[in-house]
Amino acid sequence: MNIKKFSIKKIVPFLLVVSASVSCKKSLEEFNPSGATAESLFKTPEGFESGVNAAYTYNRNLYGKEEGYALLEMGTDIWTNAAFNGSTGVNGIFPQTPLTTYQGLISDNLWVNTKMWQPCYAAINLVNTALKSINEAGLSATRKPVLEGELRFLRAWYYYHLVETFGNIHFTLEPTESMVTTANRTGAETVYNQIFADLDFAVANLPNTTADYGRATKPVAEAFLAKALLTRGRHQEASNYAKKVITDYGFRLLPNYADLWKMNNQKNAEVIWAVNYSTNLAFNAGSNLGHSLFLMEYNTLPGMLRDVENGFPNVRYMPTLHLLQAFNEQNDARYNASFKTVWYANQPDASKRPPGMNLGDTAVLVSKKAIPAADRAGKKYTIYDVNDVYGANGTPKDRFHYVSLKKFDDPTRASATEPQSSRDVFVIRLAELYLVAAEAQFRLGKTDSAAYFINEVRKRAALPGREAAMQIAPTDVSLDFILDERARELAGEQVRWYDLKRTGKLVERVTAYNPDAKPNIKAFHVLRPIPQAQLDAVTNKKEFIQNDGY
């Protein structure tokens, strides 16, 4: 999409106490209806197109943002706190701390409110406003159903995030045109009925392809429908839609997993849907920070300084020992394609490099294996092995230095001090549809079919000559194996919390594999707390109540 900034006054009269600042300065079109109200905006084809584009931008509150990683990826079995995540700030515990460890996760958590509840409801209200006005916008007979399909897809998308995060939620299909002081708690079944109705309409009316990258299409809607059906236990339908996306639209797994993450290859044949960011960072209203969040503090080590190639180390999130041990890197190319373990000397001042270390020599090695003292002896470079970084039970001992996720690296940033990236965020890609089909087939008792879909993903992941070693048998398939395979394939891609919740494995696997979160996680943590600001704002407090446990 052509990402431009514009301002629409009063475009979304927000539900409850949603801040107006969330939605008023983003769009995906150059068109600027200066001073337009929501009512006038949707009266012209140009304005309507602009409003539809604006409905996409709320994804940028979550995808590629620190808050989004905290909400969708952390507090799971595969990630935990690095050194600069979980500190105590001026105003107390930073919002990400309870989301990663469940310690002190309360209804006042800022990010749950401002980065999940508010933007999703603001987006839904914008969609409801647009749908109410669609017959008055002067749209052509061919364009109208396509735009309605996009809007209904997006409403389903945002409601999915809300119902999976909070459970029974406020639900409406009507635009909020003035301040609202009451809210309902509608059951998940009702919400999902609307999600499926909206997605059915989208599937029936969206085109197979689009020249406007980032828009919803028929295969995008079908891919999301497969995921939603899987979540609701409708496994045969989920499998059918996943297989349709796999076979019908020309998507393909890239031969080399590492090629997925090249900055010059973002628009590739494996990406079904992406949240796109502009190379003009001013248009992004906050760009992608994923490259910096999983990166260790390399820049203070001998022989190293911060540069563009090695990245901007925010030192927020580190892998659990379980995630690293889930890979067999002797067979699986995804380990070295996903993680950075070696840093090469880039310090031009020889006096700041160890004696005898030249530019380009190994300066730092981080290993998930134990490195004996004899193998360390005489090395000029700094070594951190598994015993330096993790305790025997997996509790981190060194939260500054660890194997770092590199999938989201951006060596095209303008300078070493520029934290923002124009990298797109892959929200749905083809490999996940294979794994959706595998999980659905496993749930149906068809382990042979489940193994087939998993093996298609593992075949691509195999190192040359190790294809046979990567193949699994039907007897190898279990729900835990599927979750491990999803971790190997999708680590960091903002799906993990929902994966564990969907499979009923959140508490079990966090307890087993995340020592930081183990003491705190409880059964009620499968839902996030309703934000306190929303509870305080309503007048029907007896009906609109907090989730159990908070």
Side-chain angles (χ1 to χ4, degrees), residues 323-366:
L323 175 58
L324 300 181
Q325 291 176 337
F327 291 85
N328 179 350
E329 64 272 25
Q330 305 306 312
N331 301 327
D332 195 333
R334 290 174 297 189
Y335 183 76
N336 287 319
S338 298
F339 295 104
K340 185 167 186 170
T341 60
V342 179
W343 282 257
Y344 298 100
N346 66 353
Q347 172 56 260
D349 186 344
S351 68
K352 296 181 180 179
R353 300 195 300 265
M357 179 181 289
N358 299 312
L359 284 174
D361 288 352
T362 297
V364 184
L365 170 66
V366 186

Short mmCIF file of all heavy atoms in Angstrom, two decimals, residues 323-366:
data_model
loop_
_atom_site.label_atom_id
_atom_site.label_comp_id
_atom_site.label_asym_id
_atom_site.label_seq_id
_atom_site.Cartn_x
_atom_site.Cartn_y
_atom_site.Cartn_z
N LEU A 323 13.52 -23.42 23.65
CA LEU A 323 13.46 -23.06 22.23
C LEU A 323 14.75 -23.44 21.52
O LEU A 323 14.71 -24.03 20.43
CB LEU A 323 13.19 -21.56 22.08
CG LEU A 323 13.22 -21.04 20.63
CD1 LEU A 323 12.20 -21.76 19.76
CD2 LEU A 323 12.97 -19.53 20.60
N LEU A 324 15.88 -23.14 22.11
CA LEU A 324 17.15 -23.47 21.47
C LEU A 324 17.31 -24.98 21.32
O LEU A 324 17.78 -25.48 20.29
CB LEU A 324 18.31 -22.90 22.27
CG LEU A 324 18.31 -21.37 22.45
CD1 LEU A 324 19.54 -20.94 23.25
CD2 LEU A 324 18.27 -20.65 21.11
N GLN A 325 16.90 -25.72 22.35
CA GLN A 325 17.06 -27.17 22.31
C GLN A 325 16.06 -27.86 21.39
O GLN A 325 16.24 -29.03 21.05
CB GLN A 325 16.94 -27.74 23.72
CG GLN A 325 18.11 -27.35 24.63
CD GLN A 325 17.93 -27.83 26.05
OE1 GLN A 325 16.80 -28.08 26.50
NE2 GLN A 325 19.03 -27.94 26.79
N ALA A 326 15.04 -27.13 20.96
CA ALA A 326 14.05 -27.71 20.05
C ALA A 326 14.61 -27.95 18.66
O ALA A 326 14.04 -28.72 17.87
CB ALA A 326 12.82 -26.80 19.96
N PHE A 327 15.73 -27.32 18.33
CA PHE A 327 16.35 -27.44 17.01
C PHE A 327 17.46 -28.49 17.03
O PHE A 327 18.26 -28.54 17.96
CB PHE A 327 16.97 -26.12 16.58
CG PHE A 327 15.99 -25.02 16.27
CD1 PHE A 327 15.49 -24.21 17.29
CD2 PHE A 327 15.59 -24.77 14.97
CE1 PHE A 327 14.60 -23.18 17.01
CE2 PHE A 327 14.70 -23.75 14.69
CZ PHE A 327 14.20 -22.96 15.70
N ASN A 328 17.52 -29.28 15.99
CA ASN A 328 18.69 -30.10 15.70
C ASN A 328 19.39 -29.45 14.51
O ASN A 328 19.06 -29.72 13.36
CB ASN A 328 18.30 -31.54 15.39
CG ASN A 328 19.50 -32.41 15.05
OD1 ASN A 328 20.61 -31.92 14.87
ND2 ASN A 328 19.27 -33.70 14.95
N GLU A 329 20.32 -28.59 14.79
CA GLU A 329 20.96 -27.81 13.73
C GLU A 329 21.85 -28.63 12.82
O GLU A 329 22.31 -28.12 11.79
CB GLU A 329 21.72 -26.63 14.32
CG GLU A 329 22.89 -26.98 15.20
CD GLU A 329 22.50 -27.18 16.65
OE1 GLU A 329 21.33 -27.52 16.92
OE2 GLU A 329 23.37 -27.01 17.52
N GLN A 330 22.09 -29.89 13.17
CA GLN A 330 22.83 -30.76 12.26
C GLN A 330 21.99 -31.14 11.05
O GLN A 330 22.54 -31.49 9.99
CB GLN A 330 23.26 -32.04 12.99
CG GLN A 330 24.06 -31.80 14.25
CD GLN A 330 25.28 -30.92 14.02
OE1 GLN A 330 26.04 -31.15 13.08
NE2 GLN A 330 25.46 -29.91 14.85
N ASN A 331 20.67 -31.07 11.21
CA ASN A 331 19.75 -31.40 10.12
C ASN A 331 18.93 -30.21 9.65
O ASN A 331 18.55 -30.15 8.48
CB ASN A 331 18.78 -32.50 10.57
CG ASN A 331 19.47 -33.77 10.99
OD1 ASN A 331 20.53 -34.13 10.45
ND2 ASN A 331 18.91 -34.47 11.97
N ASP A 332 18.65 -29.30 10.56
CA ASP A 332 17.64 -28.26 10.35
C ASP A 332 18.29 -26.91 10.08
O ASP A 332 18.94 -26.34 10.95
CB ASP A 332 16.75 -28.19 11.60
CG ASP A 332 15.46 -27.42 11.37
OD1 ASP A 332 15.43 -26.54 10.50
OD2 ASP A 332 14.48 -27.69 12.10
N ALA A 333 18.10 -26.39 8.87
CA ALA A 333 18.70 -25.11 8.47
C ALA A 333 18.06 -23.94 9.20
O ALA A 333 18.63 -22.84 9.20
CB ALA A 333 18.56 -24.93 6.97
N ARG A 334 16.90 -24.13 9.80
CA ARG A 334 16.20 -23.01 10.42
C ARG A 334 16.93 -22.44 11.63
O ARG A 334 16.74 -21.26 11.96
CB ARG A 334 14.78 -23.43 10.79
CG ARG A 334 13.88 -23.65 9.59
CD ARG A 334 12.53 -24.20 9.97
NE ARG A 334 12.63 -25.52 10.59
CZ ARG A 334 11.59 -26.29 10.85
NH1 ARG A 334 10.36 -25.90 10.54
NH2 ARG A 334 11.75 -27.48 11.42
N TYR A 335 17.75 -23.23 12.30
CA TYR A 335 18.44 -22.71 13.47
C TYR A 335 19.39 -21.59 13.06
O TYR A 335 19.32 -20.46 13.58
CB TYR A 335 19.20 -23.82 14.20
CG TYR A 335 19.87 -23.31 15.48
CD1 TYR A 335 19.12 -23.06 16.61
CD2 TYR A 335 21.24 -23.06 15.52
CE1 TYR A 335 19.71 -22.58 17.77
CE2 TYR A 335 21.84 -22.59 16.67
CZ TYR A 335 21.07 -22.34 17.80
OH TYR A 335 21.67 -21.85 18.93
N ASN A 336 20.29 -21.87 12.15
CA ASN A 336 21.25 -20.85 11.75
C ASN A 336 20.62 -19.75 10.90
O ASN A 336 21.15 -18.64 10.83
CB ASN A 336 22.42 -21.49 11.00
CG ASN A 336 23.33 -22.27 11.92
OD1 ASN A 336 23.63 -21.83 13.03
ND2 ASN A 336 23.77 -23.45 11.50
N ALA A 337 19.50 -20.05 10.26
CA ALA A 337 18.79 -19.01 9.52
C ALA A 337 18.01 -18.09 10.44
O ALA A 337 17.73 -16.94 10.09
CB ALA A 337 17.85 -19.65 8.51
N SER A 338 17.65 -18.58 11.62
CA SER A 338 16.84 -17.80 12.56
C SER A 338 17.66 -17.08 13.61
O SER A 338 17.26 -16.01 14.09
CB SER A 338 15.85 -18.72 13.28
OG SER A 338 14.95 -19.32 12.38
N PHE A 339 18.82 -17.64 13.99
CA PHE A 339 19.55 -17.12 15.14
C PHE A 339 20.97 -16.70 14.77
O PHE A 339 21.62 -17.30 13.91
CB PHE A 339 19.62 -18.18 16.25
CG PHE A 339 18.28 -18.53 16.82
CD1 PHE A 339 17.65 -19.71 16.47
CD2 PHE A 339 17.65 -17.67 17.70
CE1 PHE A 339 16.41 -20.05 17.00
CE2 PHE A 339 16.41 -17.99 18.24
CZ PHE A 339 15.80 -19.18 17.89
N LYS A 340 21.43 -15.70 15.48
CA LYS A 340 22.80 -15.22 15.33
C LYS A 340 23.61 -15.70 16.53
O LYS A 340 23.23 -15.51 17.68
CB LYS A 340 22.83 -13.69 15.26
CG LYS A 340 24.21 -13.13 14.98
CD LYS A 340 24.11 -11.65 14.61
CE LYS A 340 25.47 -11.11 14.18
NZ LYS A 340 25.38 -9.77 13.60
N THR A 341 24.74 -16.34 16.24
CA THR A 341 25.59 -16.88 17.30
C THR A 341 27.02 -16.36 17.24
O THR A 341 27.78 -16.55 18.19
CB THR A 341 25.63 -18.42 17.21
OG1 THR A 341 26.15 -18.80 15.93
CG2 THR A 341 24.24 -19.02 17.38
N VAL A 342 27.38 -15.70 16.13
CA VAL A 342 28.75 -15.21 15.96
C VAL A 342 28.71 -13.75 15.55
O VAL A 342 27.93 -13.34 14.69
CB VAL A 342 29.50 -16.02 14.88
CG1 VAL A 342 30.92 -15.48 14.70
CG2 VAL A 342 29.56 -17.50 15.26
N TRP A 343 29.58 -12.96 16.20
CA TRP A 343 29.77 -11.55 15.83
C TRP A 343 31.23 -11.36 15.42
O TRP A 343 32.14 -11.90 16.07
CB TRP A 343 29.45 -10.64 17.01
CG TRP A 343 27.98 -10.43 17.23
CD1 TRP A 343 27.25 -9.35 16.91
CD2 TRP A 343 27.06 -11.35 17.87
NE1 TRP A 343 25.93 -9.51 17.27
CE2 TRP A 343 25.78 -10.73 17.85
CE3 TRP A 343 27.18 -12.62 18.41
CZ2 TRP A 343 24.65 -11.33 18.39
CZ3 TRP A 343 26.05 -13.24 18.93
CH2 TRP A 343 24.81 -12.59 18.92
N TYR A 344 31.43 -10.61 14.35
CA TYR A 344 32.77 -10.40 13.81
C TYR A 344 33.27 -8.99 14.14
O TYR A 344 32.50 -8.02 14.11
CB TYR A 344 32.77 -10.62 12.30
CG TYR A 344 32.38 -12.03 11.93
CD1 TYR A 344 31.08 -12.33 11.51
CD2 TYR A 344 33.30 -13.08 12.05
CE1 TYR A 344 30.72 -13.64 11.20
CE2 TYR A 344 32.94 -14.39 11.75
CZ TYR A 344 31.65 -14.65 11.33
OH TYR A 344 31.30 -15.95 11.03
N ALA A 345 34.54 -8.92 14.48
CA ALA A 345 35.12 -7.65 14.95
C ALA A 345 34.89 -6.53 13.95
O ALA A 345 35.21 -6.66 12.77
CB ALA A 345 36.62 -7.85 15.20
N ASN A 346 34.33 -5.43 14.46
CA ASN A 346 34.08 -4.26 13.61
C ASN A 346 34.63 -2.97 14.24
O ASN A 346 34.37 -1.88 13.74
CB ASN A 346 32.59 -4.10 13.34
CG ASN A 346 31.79 -3.78 14.61
OD1 ASN A 346 32.32 -3.80 15.72
ND2 ASN A 346 30.51 -3.51 14.46
N GLN A 347 35.38 -3.12 15.33
CA GLN A 347 35.95 -1.97 16.04
C GLN A 347 37.20 -1.50 15.28
O GLN A 347 38.22 -2.20 15.24
CB GLN A 347 36.29 -2.36 17.47
CG GLN A 347 37.06 -1.35 18.27
CD GLN A 347 36.38 0.00 18.37
OE1 GLN A 347 36.76 0.94 17.64
NE2 GLN A 347 35.40 0.11 19.24
N PRO A 348 37.14 -0.32 14.66
CA PRO A 348 38.30 0.13 13.88
C PRO A 348 39.52 0.49 14.72
O PRO A 348 40.65 0.49 14.21
CB PRO A 348 37.76 1.36 13.14
CG PRO A 348 36.62 1.85 13.97
CD PRO A 348 36.01 0.64 14.60
N ASP A 349 39.31 0.80 15.99
CA ASP A 349 40.42 1.16 16.88
C ASP A 349 41.07 -0.13 17.40
O ASP A 349 40.50 -0.85 18.21
CB ASP A 349 39.88 2.00 18.04
CG ASP A 349 40.98 2.53 18.94
OD1 ASP A 349 42.13 2.03 18.85
OD2 ASP A 349 40.71 3.44 19.75
N ALA A 350 42.27 -0.41 16.92
CA ALA A 350 42.95 -1.66 17.29
C ALA A 350 43.17 -1.77 18.79
O ALA A 350 43.22 -2.89 19.33
CB ALA A 350 44.28 -1.76 16.54
N SER A 351 43.31 -0.63 19.46
CA SER A 351 43.54 -0.67 20.91
C SER A 351 42.32 -1.17 21.67
O SER A 351 42.43 -1.53 22.85
CB SER A 351 43.94 0.72 21.42
OG SER A 351 42.84 1.63 21.32
N LYS A 352 41.15 -1.19 21.02
CA LYS A 352 39.92 -1.65 21.65
C LYS A 352 39.55 -3.07 21.21
O LYS A 352 38.47 -3.55 21.53
CB LYS A 352 38.78 -0.68 21.35
CG LYS A 352 39.00 0.71 21.95
CD LYS A 352 37.83 1.63 21.65
CE LYS A 352 38.09 3.03 22.26
NZ LYS A 352 36.98 3.96 21.98
N ARG A 353 40.47 -3.69 20.48
CA ARG A 353 40.30 -5.09 20.12
C ARG A 353 41.32 -5.91 20.91
O ARG A 353 42.41 -5.43 21.23
CB ARG A 353 40.53 -5.31 18.62
CG ARG A 353 39.59 -4.55 17.70
CD ARG A 353 39.66 -5.10 16.27
NE ARG A 353 40.99 -5.02 15.69
CZ ARG A 353 41.43 -4.03 14.91
NH1 ARG A 353 40.62 -3.00 14.64
NH2 ARG A 353 42.66 -4.03 14.42
N PRO A 354 41.00 -7.15 21.23
CA PRO A 354 41.98 -8.01 21.90
C PRO A 354 43.24 -8.13 21.05
O PRO A 354 43.17 -8.09 19.81
CB PRO A 354 41.25 -9.35 22.02
CG PRO A 354 39.81 -8.99 22.02
CD PRO A 354 39.69 -7.82 21.09
N PRO A 355 44.40 -8.26 21.68
CA PRO A 355 45.66 -8.38 20.92
C PRO A 355 45.58 -9.49 19.88
O PRO A 355 45.16 -10.61 20.18
CB PRO A 355 46.70 -8.69 22.00
CG PRO A 355 46.12 -8.12 23.26
CD PRO A 355 44.63 -8.30 23.13
N GLY A 356 45.98 -9.15 18.68
CA GLY A 356 45.99 -10.13 17.60
C GLY A 356 44.68 -10.29 16.87
O GLY A 356 44.60 -11.03 15.89
N MET A 357 43.61 -9.61 17.32
CA MET A 357 42.32 -9.70 16.64
C MET A 357 42.25 -8.65 15.55
O MET A 357 42.43 -7.45 15.82
CB MET A 357 41.17 -9.50 17.63
CG MET A 357 39.78 -9.58 16.95
SD MET A 357 38.42 -9.30 18.12
CE MET A 357 38.47 -10.82 19.08
N ASN A 358 41.99 -9.07 14.34
CA ASN A 358 41.87 -8.16 13.20
C ASN A 358 40.40 -7.89 12.88
O ASN A 358 39.50 -8.64 13.29
CB ASN A 358 42.55 -8.77 11.97
CG ASN A 358 44.02 -9.01 12.19
OD1 ASN A 358 44.75 -8.14 12.68
ND2 ASN A 358 44.49 -10.22 11.86
N LEU A 359 40.17 -6.81 12.16
CA LEU A 359 38.82 -6.55 11.68
C LEU A 359 38.31 -7.75 10.88
O LEU A 359 39.02 -8.30 10.04
CB LEU A 359 38.80 -5.30 10.79
CG LEU A 359 38.88 -3.94 11.49
CD1 LEU A 359 39.00 -2.82 10.46
CD2 LEU A 359 37.65 -3.71 12.37
N GLY A 360 37.08 -8.16 11.17
CA GLY A 360 36.50 -9.30 10.48
C GLY A 360 36.74 -10.63 11.15
O GLY A 360 36.12 -11.64 10.77
N ASP A 361 37.64 -10.68 12.13
CA ASP A 361 37.84 -11.91 12.89
C ASP A 361 36.64 -12.13 13.83
O ASP A 361 35.93 -11.19 14.20
CB ASP A 361 39.11 -11.84 13.74
CG ASP A 361 40.37 -11.93 12.91
OD1 ASP A 361 40.27 -12.20 11.70
OD2 ASP A 361 41.45 -11.70 13.48
N THR A 362 36.45 -13.38 14.23
CA THR A 362 35.42 -13.66 15.24
C THR A 362 35.74 -12.89 16.51
O THR A 362 36.85 -12.97 17.04
CB THR A 362 35.36 -15.16 15.54
OG1 THR A 362 34.97 -15.85 14.35
CG2 THR A 362 34.35 -15.46 16.65
N ALA A 363 34.75 -12.12 16.99
CA ALA A 363 34.92 -11.37 18.24
C ALA A 363 34.10 -11.96 19.37
O ALA A 363 34.51 -11.91 20.53
CB ALA A 363 34.52 -9.90 18.03
N VAL A 364 32.93 -12.54 19.03
CA VAL A 364 32.03 -13.08 20.06
C VAL A 364 31.40 -14.36 19.51
O VAL A 364 30.93 -14.41 18.36
CB VAL A 364 30.90 -12.09 20.41
CG1 VAL A 364 30.04 -12.64 21.55
CG2 VAL A 364 31.47 -10.72 20.78
N LEU A 365 31.37 -15.38 20.35
CA LEU A 365 30.67 -16.62 20.03
C LEU A 365 29.71 -16.92 21.17
O LEU A 365 30.11 -16.94 22.34
CB LEU A 365 31.65 -17.79 19.87
CG LEU A 365 31.03 -19.18 19.77
CD1 LEU A 365 30.21 -19.32 18.50
CD2 LEU A 365 32.09 -20.27 19.85
N VAL A 366 28.44 -17.16 20.82
CA VAL A 366 27.45 -17.58 21.80
C VAL A 366 26.92 -18.93 21.35
O VAL A 366 26.49 -19.09 20.20
CB VAL A 366 26.29 -16.58 21.92
CG1 VAL A 366 25.35 -17.00 23.05
CG2 VAL A 366 26.80 -15.17 22.16
#
